[in-house]
Amino acid sequence: LPSELFNMLANAGQIADELGCKAYCVGGFVRDLIMKVKNFDVDLVVEGDGIALARALGENLGGKVRVHERFRTAVVSLAGGYKIDVATARTEFYEFPAALPMVERSSVKEDMYRRDFTINALALQLNADNFGALIDYFGGRRDIENRYIRILYNLSFIEDPTRILRAIRFEQRYQFTIEPDTLRFAIDAIERRLLGKLSYKRILTELILILNEADPVPALFRMRDIGVWKYIFPEIRLERLDPDTLRRIPVLLSWWQSMFMDRPIKSWLVYLQFCFAAISVEEEETVVERYGMERTARRVIAEAREVADILRVIENESAITPGRLDRLLKGFADETMCYLLLNLHDVDKWLLVERYLEERDQARLEINGRDLKALGIIPGPQYKEIMDELHELKLDGVINGRRDEIDRLKMWIEEGRVVTQ
């Protein structure tokens, strides 16, 4: 671990000793530490008062603390971008299958028992006299060594069917195997149609996590093979999607993230754009309504329907300029830009769009609305039209700098192209 993070954890253990409680690192952080996978998202569980420990830790380390009294949890935000989630040890029980859990205060063993898989039910004690001791009640370390995804108890999938989706996600992320009995219990829960009792909001949350993985494609086909996919998107037949294009998506997304680090995109939306291209507009609208997707996601998904027409223009115009591209692509989400590149097969045009994406944000105009007003141009919709055209000219290298921009405006005024007072 980075030394500053190690020291933060040691500090938490000392505070726990002072408060007379026990503190543990838990969950994915411990799992990935054992597997030597980089993961600095720290979750602490406290046998005692988790909120008191979080407040003391925040004060000691000069961090900010946000408390959720109802759930007895807190988040400590620290320098260097570190964030530590602190929870009071709790147990959960389910009033009926697929229900949201009820929560009660308990011990770390009971807290671990409520978790999804043995590999996520590991803890490291932080108290000074036992610092770094691995707490493994359910054989999680052995399952990591054997590369198994295993539930903790037989009714796990019945109580929370979303764990089936999580099992697939972890299996494919780490190249593990769902343990045979666990797979049997999962298929039994699927055949009992328990996934159909979940809210679509919960299914979408798990699906987004899968689609945001570095390469979610194997997980999609795993969902199909064990019978989950038909509950996700019955309208879409995975085997009918172009496999080569599907395999290119993670490569393209990795390229985007390396090229445009300051413009992160929602990978899951690019996958949905690709999948929805295989169904009708009416079916797409049905799916979007069914999942209650928020406005931005709806807009991005709808934009993909316009890509085919834009591609024809780009591929058929022999000497398309950056300014022309700007007019065609202005306003589209970055996810849609990725989707367009995914479907653009002319290498020269691909490079042209790539160069446009690199330059469009750098080609900022040096004048603004105040300058237009000072020249007597009447405010209104023409302001946007003027600025858009100037931006296109700047992308094409026709104008460069404030002086050129002002001169071009004066020329348009003389020609009567803009409305002045």
Side-chain angles (χ1 to χ4, degrees), residues 164-165 167-173 203 206-233 236-239 241-243 245-247 249-250 253 267-268 270-276:
I164 299 171
L165 295 171
I168 293 170
R169 173 159 57 93
F170 288 123
E171 177 191 48
Q172 298 304 317
R173 177 194 292 178
I203 293 175
E206 294 299 329
L207 179 64
I208 289 171
L209 289 172
I210 289 174
L211 294 178
N212 280 338
E213 289 284 315
D215 182 6
V217 175
L220 302 185
F221 286 94
R222 182 63 155 154
M223 283 193 279
R224 181 200 62 184
D225 294 343
I226 68 172
V228 173
W229 186 258
K230 62 186 177 184
Y231 290 99
I232 308 294
F233 293 132
I236 299 169
R237 300 285 294 275
L238 282 174
E239 59 273 15
L241 301 178
D242 179 58
T245 305
L246 190 55
R247 282 192 290 268
I249 297 177
L253 292 173
S267 300
W268 65 277
V270 180
Y271 284 99
L272 290 191
Q273 287 178 316
F274 173 73
C275 289
F276 289 172

Short mmCIF file of all heavy atoms in Angstrom, two decimals, residues 164-165 167-173 203 206-233 236-239 241-243 245-247 249-250 253 267-268 270-276:
data_model
loop_
_atom_site.label_atom_id
_atom_site.label_comp_id
_atom_site.label_asym_id
_atom_site.label_seq_id
_atom_site.Cartn_x
_atom_site.Cartn_y
_atom_site.Cartn_z
N ILE A 164 -26.70 -12.93 -8.32
CA ILE A 164 -26.40 -13.74 -9.50
C ILE A 164 -25.61 -12.90 -10.50
O ILE A 164 -24.61 -13.36 -11.07
CB ILE A 164 -27.69 -14.28 -10.14
CG1 ILE A 164 -28.46 -15.16 -9.15
CG2 ILE A 164 -27.38 -15.05 -11.42
CD1 ILE A 164 -29.85 -15.55 -9.61
N LEU A 165 -26.04 -11.67 -10.71
CA LEU A 165 -25.33 -10.77 -11.62
C LEU A 165 -23.95 -10.43 -11.08
O LEU A 165 -22.98 -10.33 -11.84
CB LEU A 165 -26.15 -9.50 -11.84
CG LEU A 165 -27.49 -9.69 -12.56
CD1 LEU A 165 -28.31 -8.40 -12.52
CD2 LEU A 165 -27.29 -10.13 -13.98
N ALA A 167 -22.14 -12.34 -9.15
CA ALA A 167 -21.31 -13.55 -9.28
C ALA A 167 -20.69 -13.60 -10.67
O ALA A 167 -19.49 -13.89 -10.82
CB ALA A 167 -22.15 -14.80 -9.02
N ILE A 168 -21.48 -13.31 -11.67
CA ILE A 168 -20.98 -13.30 -13.05
C ILE A 168 -19.92 -12.21 -13.23
O ILE A 168 -18.89 -12.41 -13.87
CB ILE A 168 -22.15 -13.12 -14.03
CG1 ILE A 168 -23.06 -14.35 -14.01
CG2 ILE A 168 -21.64 -12.85 -15.45
CD1 ILE A 168 -24.36 -14.17 -14.75
N ARG A 169 -20.18 -11.04 -12.66
CA ARG A 169 -19.23 -9.92 -12.82
C ARG A 169 -17.87 -10.28 -12.21
O ARG A 169 -16.83 -10.08 -12.85
CB ARG A 169 -19.81 -8.68 -12.15
CG ARG A 169 -18.84 -7.50 -12.10
CD ARG A 169 -19.56 -6.18 -11.93
NE ARG A 169 -20.41 -6.15 -10.76
CZ ARG A 169 -20.05 -5.70 -9.56
NH1 ARG A 169 -18.81 -5.24 -9.37
NH2 ARG A 169 -20.89 -5.69 -8.54
N PHE A 170 -17.86 -10.81 -10.98
CA PHE A 170 -16.58 -11.16 -10.35
C PHE A 170 -15.92 -12.34 -11.05
O PHE A 170 -14.70 -12.38 -11.19
CB PHE A 170 -16.79 -11.45 -8.86
CG PHE A 170 -17.08 -10.24 -8.04
CD1 PHE A 170 -18.23 -10.15 -7.27
CD2 PHE A 170 -16.20 -9.16 -8.03
CE1 PHE A 170 -18.51 -9.03 -6.50
CE2 PHE A 170 -16.47 -8.02 -7.27
CZ PHE A 170 -17.63 -7.96 -6.51
N GLU A 171 -16.72 -13.31 -11.48
CA GLU A 171 -16.17 -14.47 -12.17
C GLU A 171 -15.40 -14.04 -13.41
O GLU A 171 -14.27 -14.49 -13.65
CB GLU A 171 -17.31 -15.42 -12.57
CG GLU A 171 -16.83 -16.64 -13.36
CD GLU A 171 -17.98 -17.41 -13.97
OE1 GLU A 171 -18.86 -16.79 -14.60
OE2 GLU A 171 -18.00 -18.65 -13.81
N GLN A 172 -15.99 -13.16 -14.20
CA GLN A 172 -15.36 -12.74 -15.44
C GLN A 172 -14.24 -11.73 -15.20
O GLN A 172 -13.24 -11.73 -15.93
CB GLN A 172 -16.42 -12.16 -16.39
CG GLN A 172 -17.49 -13.16 -16.79
CD GLN A 172 -16.92 -14.42 -17.41
OE1 GLN A 172 -16.01 -14.36 -18.23
NE2 GLN A 172 -17.44 -15.57 -17.01
N ARG A 173 -14.38 -10.88 -14.20
CA ARG A 173 -13.32 -9.90 -13.93
C ARG A 173 -12.02 -10.59 -13.57
O ARG A 173 -10.94 -10.22 -14.05
CB ARG A 173 -13.72 -8.97 -12.77
CG ARG A 173 -12.60 -8.00 -12.41
CD ARG A 173 -12.83 -7.32 -11.08
NE ARG A 173 -13.95 -6.39 -11.10
CZ ARG A 173 -14.37 -5.70 -10.03
NH1 ARG A 173 -13.75 -5.87 -8.87
NH2 ARG A 173 -15.39 -4.88 -10.11
N ILE A 203 -31.89 -4.06 -11.19
CA ILE A 203 -31.25 -4.80 -12.28
C ILE A 203 -30.34 -3.88 -13.08
O ILE A 203 -29.21 -4.23 -13.42
CB ILE A 203 -32.31 -5.45 -13.20
CG1 ILE A 203 -33.07 -6.55 -12.45
CG2 ILE A 203 -31.65 -6.02 -14.45
CD1 ILE A 203 -34.20 -7.16 -13.24
N GLU A 206 -26.97 -3.18 -11.39
CA GLU A 206 -26.01 -4.27 -11.54
C GLU A 206 -25.51 -4.38 -12.97
O GLU A 206 -24.33 -4.67 -13.22
CB GLU A 206 -26.64 -5.60 -11.10
CG GLU A 206 -26.97 -5.68 -9.62
CD GLU A 206 -25.74 -5.55 -8.73
OE1 GLU A 206 -24.65 -5.97 -9.16
OE2 GLU A 206 -25.87 -5.04 -7.60
N LEU A 207 -26.40 -4.14 -13.94
CA LEU A 207 -26.00 -4.21 -15.34
C LEU A 207 -24.97 -3.14 -15.67
O LEU A 207 -23.99 -3.40 -16.38
CB LEU A 207 -27.22 -4.06 -16.25
CG LEU A 207 -26.94 -4.09 -17.75
CD1 LEU A 207 -26.39 -5.45 -18.17
CD2 LEU A 207 -28.19 -3.76 -18.55
N ILE A 208 -25.17 -1.93 -15.14
CA ILE A 208 -24.21 -0.85 -15.37
C ILE A 208 -22.83 -1.22 -14.82
O ILE A 208 -21.80 -0.98 -15.45
CB ILE A 208 -24.72 0.47 -14.75
CG1 ILE A 208 -25.91 1.01 -15.57
CG2 ILE A 208 -23.62 1.52 -14.68
CD1 ILE A 208 -26.62 2.19 -14.93
N LEU A 209 -22.80 -1.84 -13.63
CA LEU A 209 -21.53 -2.27 -13.05
C LEU A 209 -20.84 -3.27 -13.96
O LEU A 209 -19.61 -3.23 -14.15
CB LEU A 209 -21.76 -2.87 -11.66
CG LEU A 209 -22.15 -1.88 -10.57
CD1 LEU A 209 -22.55 -2.62 -9.30
CD2 LEU A 209 -21.02 -0.91 -10.27
N ILE A 210 -21.60 -4.19 -14.55
CA ILE A 210 -21.02 -5.17 -15.46
C ILE A 210 -20.48 -4.48 -16.71
O ILE A 210 -19.35 -4.72 -17.16
CB ILE A 210 -22.06 -6.25 -15.84
CG1 ILE A 210 -22.32 -7.16 -14.64
CG2 ILE A 210 -21.59 -7.08 -17.04
CD1 ILE A 210 -23.44 -8.16 -14.85
N LEU A 211 -21.28 -3.60 -17.30
CA LEU A 211 -20.89 -2.94 -18.55
C LEU A 211 -19.75 -1.95 -18.36
O LEU A 211 -19.11 -1.55 -19.34
CB LEU A 211 -22.10 -2.25 -19.18
CG LEU A 211 -23.21 -3.18 -19.68
CD1 LEU A 211 -24.38 -2.37 -20.23
CD2 LEU A 211 -22.69 -4.15 -20.73
N ASN A 212 -19.51 -1.53 -17.13
CA ASN A 212 -18.38 -0.64 -16.86
C ASN A 212 -17.08 -1.38 -16.56
O ASN A 212 -16.04 -0.76 -16.31
CB ASN A 212 -18.71 0.30 -15.69
CG ASN A 212 -19.57 1.47 -16.12
OD1 ASN A 212 -19.60 1.85 -17.29
ND2 ASN A 212 -20.29 2.06 -15.18
N GLU A 213 -17.12 -2.72 -16.58
CA GLU A 213 -15.90 -3.51 -16.41
C GLU A 213 -14.97 -3.27 -17.61
O GLU A 213 -15.41 -2.85 -18.68
CB GLU A 213 -16.24 -4.99 -16.29
CG GLU A 213 -16.93 -5.38 -14.99
CD GLU A 213 -15.97 -5.43 -13.81
OE1 GLU A 213 -14.87 -5.99 -13.96
OE2 GLU A 213 -16.33 -4.90 -12.73
N ALA A 214 -13.69 -3.60 -17.43
CA ALA A 214 -12.72 -3.38 -18.50
C ALA A 214 -13.11 -4.11 -19.78
O ALA A 214 -12.96 -3.59 -20.88
CB ALA A 214 -11.33 -3.81 -18.04
N ASP A 215 -13.63 -5.33 -19.64
CA ASP A 215 -14.13 -6.08 -20.80
C ASP A 215 -15.36 -6.88 -20.36
O ASP A 215 -15.23 -8.02 -19.88
CB ASP A 215 -13.06 -7.02 -21.37
CG ASP A 215 -13.57 -7.77 -22.61
OD1 ASP A 215 -14.68 -7.46 -23.08
OD2 ASP A 215 -12.84 -8.65 -23.09
N PRO A 216 -16.54 -6.31 -20.53
CA PRO A 216 -17.77 -6.98 -20.07
C PRO A 216 -18.32 -8.02 -21.03
O PRO A 216 -19.28 -8.72 -20.70
CB PRO A 216 -18.75 -5.82 -19.92
CG PRO A 216 -18.32 -4.86 -20.98
CD PRO A 216 -16.82 -4.97 -21.06
N VAL A 217 -17.74 -8.14 -22.22
CA VAL A 217 -18.32 -9.00 -23.26
C VAL A 217 -18.49 -10.45 -22.79
O VAL A 217 -19.56 -11.04 -22.95
CB VAL A 217 -17.52 -8.90 -24.57
CG1 VAL A 217 -18.06 -9.89 -25.61
CG2 VAL A 217 -17.56 -7.47 -25.11
N PRO A 218 -17.45 -11.09 -22.19
CA PRO A 218 -17.66 -12.46 -21.71
C PRO A 218 -18.79 -12.58 -20.69
O PRO A 218 -19.50 -13.58 -20.67
CB PRO A 218 -16.30 -12.82 -21.08
CG PRO A 218 -15.32 -11.93 -21.76
CD PRO A 218 -16.06 -10.65 -21.98
N ALA A 219 -18.98 -11.54 -19.87
CA ALA A 219 -20.06 -11.58 -18.87
C ALA A 219 -21.43 -11.58 -19.54
O ALA A 219 -22.37 -12.21 -19.05
CB ALA A 219 -19.93 -10.40 -17.91
N LEU A 220 -21.55 -10.87 -20.67
CA LEU A 220 -22.83 -10.84 -21.38
C LEU A 220 -23.21 -12.24 -21.85
O LEU A 220 -24.36 -12.67 -21.69
CB LEU A 220 -22.76 -9.87 -22.57
CG LEU A 220 -22.39 -8.42 -22.28
CD1 LEU A 220 -22.48 -7.59 -23.55
CD2 LEU A 220 -23.27 -7.83 -21.20
N PHE A 221 -22.25 -12.94 -22.43
CA PHE A 221 -22.54 -14.29 -22.93
C PHE A 221 -22.71 -15.29 -21.80
O PHE A 221 -23.46 -16.26 -21.92
CB PHE A 221 -21.45 -14.73 -23.90
CG PHE A 221 -21.55 -14.04 -25.23
CD1 PHE A 221 -20.81 -12.88 -25.48
CD2 PHE A 221 -22.42 -14.49 -26.21
CE1 PHE A 221 -20.92 -12.22 -26.70
CE2 PHE A 221 -22.55 -13.83 -27.43
CZ PHE A 221 -21.80 -12.69 -27.68
N ARG A 222 -22.04 -15.05 -20.68
CA ARG A 222 -22.26 -15.90 -19.49
C ARG A 222 -23.69 -15.71 -18.98
O ARG A 222 -24.34 -16.69 -18.60
CB ARG A 222 -21.24 -15.53 -18.42
CG ARG A 222 -21.30 -16.36 -17.15
CD ARG A 222 -20.99 -17.81 -17.41
NE ARG A 222 -20.50 -18.46 -16.19
CZ ARG A 222 -20.60 -19.76 -15.94
NH1 ARG A 222 -21.20 -20.55 -16.82
NH2 ARG A 222 -20.10 -20.28 -14.83
N MET A 223 -24.18 -14.48 -19.01
CA MET A 223 -25.57 -14.23 -18.61
C MET A 223 -26.53 -14.98 -19.52
O MET A 223 -27.53 -15.54 -19.08
CB MET A 223 -25.87 -12.73 -18.63
CG MET A 223 -25.32 -11.97 -17.46
SD MET A 223 -26.01 -10.29 -17.33
CE MET A 223 -25.03 -9.43 -18.53
N ARG A 224 -26.23 -14.97 -20.81
CA ARG A 224 -27.08 -15.70 -21.75
C ARG A 224 -27.06 -17.19 -21.46
O ARG A 224 -28.12 -17.86 -21.43
CB ARG A 224 -26.59 -15.45 -23.19
CG ARG A 224 -27.42 -16.16 -24.25
CD ARG A 224 -26.66 -16.30 -25.55
NE ARG A 224 -25.45 -17.12 -25.41
CZ ARG A 224 -24.59 -17.33 -26.38
NH1 ARG A 224 -24.77 -16.78 -27.57
NH2 ARG A 224 -23.51 -18.10 -26.18
N ASP A 225 -25.87 -17.73 -21.22
CA ASP A 225 -25.72 -19.18 -21.09
C ASP A 225 -26.42 -19.74 -19.85
O ASP A 225 -26.86 -20.90 -19.88
CB ASP A 225 -24.23 -19.56 -21.07
CG ASP A 225 -23.55 -19.27 -22.40
OD1 ASP A 225 -24.28 -19.10 -23.40
OD2 ASP A 225 -22.30 -19.19 -22.43
N ILE A 226 -26.50 -18.97 -18.77
CA ILE A 226 -27.16 -19.52 -17.57
C ILE A 226 -28.58 -19.00 -17.39
O ILE A 226 -29.21 -19.27 -16.37
CB ILE A 226 -26.32 -19.25 -16.29
CG1 ILE A 226 -26.28 -17.77 -15.93
CG2 ILE A 226 -24.93 -19.82 -16.41
CD1 ILE A 226 -25.62 -17.53 -14.57
N GLY A 227 -29.08 -18.27 -18.40
CA GLY A 227 -30.50 -17.91 -18.40
C GLY A 227 -30.84 -16.57 -17.82
O GLY A 227 -32.03 -16.28 -17.59
N VAL A 228 -29.83 -15.70 -17.58
CA VAL A 228 -30.09 -14.39 -16.98
C VAL A 228 -30.49 -13.36 -18.04
O VAL A 228 -31.35 -12.51 -17.80
CB VAL A 228 -28.85 -13.89 -16.20
CG1 VAL A 228 -29.04 -12.45 -15.73
CG2 VAL A 228 -28.56 -14.79 -15.03
N TRP A 229 -29.87 -13.43 -19.22
CA TRP A 229 -30.04 -12.39 -20.23
C TRP A 229 -31.50 -12.16 -20.60
O TRP A 229 -31.91 -11.03 -20.86
CB TRP A 229 -29.21 -12.72 -21.46
CG TRP A 229 -29.21 -11.64 -22.50
CD1 TRP A 229 -29.92 -11.61 -23.66
CD2 TRP A 229 -28.48 -10.41 -22.44
NE1 TRP A 229 -29.67 -10.44 -24.34
CE2 TRP A 229 -28.79 -9.68 -23.62
CE3 TRP A 229 -27.59 -9.85 -21.53
CZ2 TRP A 229 -28.24 -8.43 -23.90
CZ3 TRP A 229 -27.04 -8.60 -21.81
CH2 TRP A 229 -27.37 -7.91 -22.98
N LYS A 230 -32.30 -13.23 -20.62
CA LYS A 230 -33.71 -13.09 -21.03
C LYS A 230 -34.49 -12.21 -20.06
O LYS A 230 -35.55 -11.70 -20.41
CB LYS A 230 -34.36 -14.45 -21.15
CG LYS A 230 -34.42 -15.25 -19.85
CD LYS A 230 -34.95 -16.65 -20.09
CE LYS A 230 -34.95 -17.48 -18.81
NZ LYS A 230 -35.36 -18.88 -19.06
N TYR A 231 -33.97 -12.03 -18.83
CA TYR A 231 -34.62 -11.12 -17.89
C TYR A 231 -34.10 -9.70 -18.04
O TYR A 231 -34.71 -8.75 -17.56
CB TYR A 231 -34.39 -11.59 -16.44
CG TYR A 231 -35.15 -12.84 -16.09
CD1 TYR A 231 -34.53 -14.08 -16.11
CD2 TYR A 231 -36.51 -12.79 -15.77
CE1 TYR A 231 -35.22 -15.24 -15.81
CE2 TYR A 231 -37.22 -13.94 -15.46
CZ TYR A 231 -36.56 -15.16 -15.49
OH TYR A 231 -37.26 -16.30 -15.19
N ILE A 232 -32.93 -9.57 -18.68
CA ILE A 232 -32.32 -8.25 -18.86
C ILE A 232 -32.88 -7.58 -20.10
O ILE A 232 -33.54 -6.54 -20.02
CB ILE A 232 -30.78 -8.37 -18.97
CG1 ILE A 232 -30.20 -9.18 -17.80
CG2 ILE A 232 -30.15 -6.98 -19.03
CD1 ILE A 232 -30.35 -8.55 -16.45
N PHE A 233 -32.60 -8.17 -21.26
CA PHE A 233 -33.07 -7.63 -22.54
C PHE A 233 -33.62 -8.76 -23.41
O PHE A 233 -32.92 -9.25 -24.31
CB PHE A 233 -31.92 -6.93 -23.30
CG PHE A 233 -31.40 -5.69 -22.64
CD1 PHE A 233 -30.05 -5.49 -22.47
CD2 PHE A 233 -32.28 -4.69 -22.20
CE1 PHE A 233 -29.56 -4.34 -21.86
CE2 PHE A 233 -31.81 -3.55 -21.60
CZ PHE A 233 -30.44 -3.36 -21.43
N ILE A 236 -33.23 -8.51 -27.26
CA ILE A 236 -31.93 -8.53 -27.94
C ILE A 236 -31.34 -9.94 -27.94
O ILE A 236 -31.17 -10.55 -26.88
CB ILE A 236 -30.94 -7.55 -27.26
CG1 ILE A 236 -31.49 -6.13 -27.33
CG2 ILE A 236 -29.56 -7.63 -27.91
CD1 ILE A 236 -30.74 -5.14 -26.47
N ARG A 237 -31.03 -10.46 -29.13
CA ARG A 237 -30.37 -11.76 -29.25
C ARG A 237 -28.87 -11.52 -29.39
O ARG A 237 -28.40 -11.02 -30.42
CB ARG A 237 -30.91 -12.50 -30.48
CG ARG A 237 -32.41 -12.77 -30.43
CD ARG A 237 -32.75 -13.89 -29.47
NE ARG A 237 -32.20 -15.16 -29.96
CZ ARG A 237 -32.83 -15.94 -30.83
NH1 ARG A 237 -33.99 -15.57 -31.36
NH2 ARG A 237 -32.27 -17.09 -31.20
N LEU A 238 -28.13 -11.89 -28.36
CA LEU A 238 -26.69 -11.62 -28.36
C LEU A 238 -25.98 -12.27 -29.55
O LEU A 238 -25.06 -11.69 -30.13
CB LEU A 238 -26.06 -12.13 -27.06
CG LEU A 238 -26.25 -11.27 -25.81
CD1 LEU A 238 -25.69 -11.98 -24.60
CD2 LEU A 238 -25.58 -9.91 -25.99
N GLU A 239 -26.42 -13.46 -29.92
CA GLU A 239 -25.74 -14.17 -31.01
C GLU A 239 -25.93 -13.48 -32.36
O GLU A 239 -25.21 -13.77 -33.32
CB GLU A 239 -26.22 -15.63 -31.09
CG GLU A 239 -27.70 -15.81 -31.32
CD GLU A 239 -28.49 -15.82 -30.01
OE1 GLU A 239 -27.94 -15.40 -28.97
OE2 GLU A 239 -29.66 -16.25 -30.04
N LEU A 241 -25.62 -10.16 -32.68
CA LEU A 241 -24.75 -8.98 -32.71
C LEU A 241 -23.44 -9.33 -33.39
O LEU A 241 -22.93 -10.45 -33.24
CB LEU A 241 -24.49 -8.48 -31.28
CG LEU A 241 -25.72 -8.09 -30.46
CD1 LEU A 241 -25.28 -7.66 -29.06
CD2 LEU A 241 -26.51 -6.99 -31.12
N ASP A 242 -22.88 -8.39 -34.12
CA ASP A 242 -21.62 -8.63 -34.81
C ASP A 242 -20.50 -8.85 -33.80
O ASP A 242 -20.15 -7.93 -33.04
CB ASP A 242 -21.27 -7.45 -35.72
CG ASP A 242 -19.95 -7.67 -36.44
OD1 ASP A 242 -19.83 -8.66 -37.15
OD2 ASP A 242 -19.04 -6.83 -36.26
N PRO A 243 -19.93 -10.06 -33.75
CA PRO A 243 -18.94 -10.35 -32.69
C PRO A 243 -17.67 -9.53 -32.80
O PRO A 243 -17.07 -9.16 -31.78
CB PRO A 243 -18.67 -11.86 -32.88
CG PRO A 243 -19.05 -12.14 -34.31
CD PRO A 243 -20.17 -11.21 -34.62
N THR A 245 -17.30 -6.43 -33.99
CA THR A 245 -17.56 -5.07 -33.49
C THR A 245 -17.69 -5.08 -31.98
O THR A 245 -17.16 -4.20 -31.29
CB THR A 245 -18.83 -4.49 -34.13
OG1 THR A 245 -18.72 -4.56 -35.55
CG2 THR A 245 -19.03 -3.04 -33.71
N LEU A 246 -18.36 -6.09 -31.44
CA LEU A 246 -18.54 -6.19 -30.00
C LEU A 246 -17.19 -6.30 -29.30
O LEU A 246 -16.96 -5.64 -28.27
CB LEU A 246 -19.41 -7.41 -29.68
CG LEU A 246 -19.92 -7.56 -28.24
CD1 LEU A 246 -20.67 -6.32 -27.78
CD2 LEU A 246 -20.80 -8.80 -28.12
N ARG A 247 -16.27 -7.07 -29.86
CA ARG A 247 -14.94 -7.22 -29.25
C ARG A 247 -14.11 -5.95 -29.37
O ARG A 247 -13.17 -5.74 -28.60
CB ARG A 247 -14.20 -8.40 -29.89
CG ARG A 247 -14.65 -9.76 -29.38
CD ARG A 247 -13.69 -10.85 -29.83
NE ARG A 247 -13.78 -11.09 -31.27
CZ ARG A 247 -14.57 -11.99 -31.82
NH1 ARG A 247 -15.35 -12.73 -31.06
NH2 ARG A 247 -14.60 -12.16 -33.14
N ILE A 249 -15.27 -2.92 -28.90
CA ILE A 249 -15.74 -1.86 -27.99
C ILE A 249 -14.78 -1.64 -26.82
O ILE A 249 -14.37 -0.50 -26.56
CB ILE A 249 -17.17 -2.13 -27.50
CG1 ILE A 249 -18.14 -2.13 -28.68
CG2 ILE A 249 -17.59 -1.06 -26.48
CD1 ILE A 249 -19.59 -2.46 -28.29
N PRO A 250 -14.38 -2.67 -26.06
CA PRO A 250 -13.45 -2.40 -24.95
C PRO A 250 -12.12 -1.81 -25.41
O PRO A 250 -11.53 -0.99 -24.69
CB PRO A 250 -13.27 -3.77 -24.28
CG PRO A 250 -13.77 -4.77 -25.26
CD PRO A 250 -14.79 -4.09 -26.09
N LEU A 253 -12.83 1.89 -26.11
CA LEU A 253 -13.03 2.64 -24.86
C LEU A 253 -11.71 2.85 -24.14
O LEU A 253 -11.48 3.92 -23.55
CB LEU A 253 -14.02 1.89 -23.96
CG LEU A 253 -15.47 1.84 -24.47
CD1 LEU A 253 -16.31 0.93 -23.59
CD2 LEU A 253 -16.08 3.23 -24.53
N SER A 267 -19.06 4.12 -20.09
CA SER A 267 -18.86 3.00 -21.00
C SER A 267 -20.14 2.22 -21.24
O SER A 267 -20.41 1.75 -22.36
CB SER A 267 -17.78 2.05 -20.43
OG SER A 267 -16.56 2.72 -20.28
N TRP A 268 -20.94 2.07 -20.21
CA TRP A 268 -22.15 1.25 -20.32
C TRP A 268 -23.10 1.77 -21.38
O TRP A 268 -23.79 0.99 -22.06
CB TRP A 268 -22.85 1.15 -18.97
CG TRP A 268 -23.41 2.43 -18.41
CD1 TRP A 268 -22.71 3.38 -17.72
CD2 TRP A 268 -24.76 2.88 -18.48
NE1 TRP A 268 -23.56 4.41 -17.35
CE2 TRP A 268 -24.82 4.12 -17.80
CE3 TRP A 268 -25.93 2.36 -19.03
CZ2 TRP A 268 -26.00 4.85 -17.66
CZ3 TRP A 268 -27.11 3.09 -18.89
CH2 TRP A 268 -27.14 4.31 -18.22
N VAL A 270 -22.24 3.19 -24.25
CA VAL A 270 -21.74 2.81 -25.58
C VAL A 270 -22.18 1.37 -25.89
O VAL A 270 -22.61 1.07 -27.01
CB VAL A 270 -20.21 2.94 -25.66
CG1 VAL A 270 -19.72 2.54 -27.05
CG2 VAL A 270 -19.78 4.37 -25.34
N TYR A 271 -22.11 0.49 -24.89
CA TYR A 271 -22.57 -0.89 -25.10
C TYR A 271 -24.07 -0.92 -25.39
O TYR A 271 -24.53 -1.69 -26.26
CB TYR A 271 -22.25 -1.75 -23.88
CG TYR A 271 -20.80 -2.15 -23.80
CD1 TYR A 271 -19.91 -1.46 -22.97
CD2 TYR A 271 -20.30 -3.21 -24.56
CE1 TYR A 271 -18.58 -1.81 -22.90
CE2 TYR A 271 -18.96 -3.57 -24.50
CZ TYR A 271 -18.11 -2.87 -23.67
OH TYR A 271 -16.78 -3.22 -23.62
N LEU A 272 -24.84 -0.10 -24.68
CA LEU A 272 -26.27 -0.08 -24.94
C LEU A 272 -26.57 0.47 -26.32
O LEU A 272 -27.47 -0.03 -27.02
CB LEU A 272 -27.00 0.74 -23.87
CG LEU A 272 -27.07 0.14 -22.46
CD1 LEU A 272 -28.06 0.93 -21.61
CD2 LEU A 272 -27.47 -1.33 -22.50
N GLN A 273 -25.84 1.49 -26.75
CA GLN A 273 -26.04 2.02 -28.10
C GLN A 273 -25.82 0.91 -29.13
O GLN A 273 -26.59 0.78 -30.10
CB GLN A 273 -25.07 3.18 -28.37
CG GLN A 273 -25.44 4.47 -27.64
CD GLN A 273 -24.41 5.57 -27.90
OE1 GLN A 273 -23.21 5.33 -27.87
NE2 GLN A 273 -24.88 6.77 -28.16
N PHE A 274 -24.78 0.13 -28.93
CA PHE A 274 -24.48 -0.95 -29.87
C PHE A 274 -25.57 -2.03 -29.83
O PHE A 274 -26.04 -2.48 -30.89
CB PHE A 274 -23.13 -1.57 -29.53
CG PHE A 274 -22.81 -2.80 -30.33
CD1 PHE A 274 -22.48 -2.70 -31.68
CD2 PHE A 274 -22.86 -4.06 -29.76
CE1 PHE A 274 -22.19 -3.84 -32.43
CE2 PHE A 274 -22.58 -5.20 -30.50
CZ PHE A 274 -22.25 -5.08 -31.85
N CYS A 275 -25.98 -2.44 -28.64
CA CYS A 275 -27.01 -3.48 -28.52
C CYS A 275 -28.35 -3.02 -29.08
O CYS A 275 -29.05 -3.77 -29.77
CB CYS A 275 -27.16 -3.89 -27.06
SG CYS A 275 -25.77 -4.82 -26.39
N PHE A 276 -28.71 -1.77 -28.80
CA PHE A 276 -30.02 -1.28 -29.23
C PHE A 276 -30.10 -1.08 -30.74
O PHE A 276 -31.19 -0.99 -31.30
CB PHE A 276 -30.36 0.02 -28.51
CG PHE A 276 -30.68 -0.17 -27.05
CD1 PHE A 276 -30.85 0.93 -26.21
CD2 PHE A 276 -30.81 -1.43 -26.49
CE1 PHE A 276 -31.14 0.77 -24.87
CE2 PHE A 276 -31.08 -1.60 -25.14
CZ PHE A 276 -31.25 -0.51 -24.33
#
